[in-house]
Amino acid sequence: LTPAPSAHRSLPHVTMAYAAAGGSAATSSAAPLAPGLAPLRVLELFAGIGGMRMSLQRAELPHQIVAAFDVSELCEKAYRHNFGGEEWKKKTIECLKPQELDALGADVWLM
């Protein structure tokens, strides 16, 4: 895999930008987390029912799920019910090629 370009952000950078804008993860607001920052591109490995995705939503971090991989049919039903699931991919991660992962352009990989 190739290293992420410097243009990609890390989670602490976004959290710090949010705090600098006067926000906190404990507060709820309809305003975007850090106006002007592009959403994090997130890859979910072992997506399950979407617990990590829900954590991003609850923390009000701007994000876009680029793909969610899992093989459980029960998890797929719950994930699709909760999020629509157009990103869902029923595939084991052992089958993924580095080129496939690079092509997703994810800033963050969640497991």
Side-chain angles (χ1 to χ4, degrees):
L1 299 177
T2 57
S6 61
H8 289 206
R9 296 150 322 278
S10 66
L11 188 56
H13 173 80
V14 173
T15 304
M16 289 169 47
Y18 184 50
S24 111
T27 62
S28 176
S29 170
L33 169 73
L37 284 182
L40 292 169
R41 294 178 52 82
V42 177
L43 169 64
E44 290 184 283
L45 303 172
F46 307 105
I49 62 172
M52 295 300 287
R53 181 176 181 167
M54 181 60 71
S55 296
L56 287 170
Q57 289 177 347
R58 293 266 172 115
E60 299 178 6
L61 291 172
H63 63 281
Q64 172 194 2
I65 304 298
V66 296
F69 291 95
D70 207 311
V71 295
S72 168
E73 290 182 19
L74 291 174
C75 288
E76 179 180 5
K77 288 179 184 177
Y79 192 99
R80 288 185 184 277
H81 173 77
N82 291 329
F83 306 109
E86 67 186 49
E87 313 87 0
W88 184 270
K89 313 273 188 241
K90 189 171 184 177
K91 191 173 187 180
T92 65
I93 66 167
E94 293 89 358
C95 297
L96 296 173
K97 293 182 171 52
Q99 299 83 356
E100 290 178 84
L101 296 170
D102 284 345
L104 294 169
D107 299 310
V108 178
W109 294 15
L110 302 178
M111 289 193 216

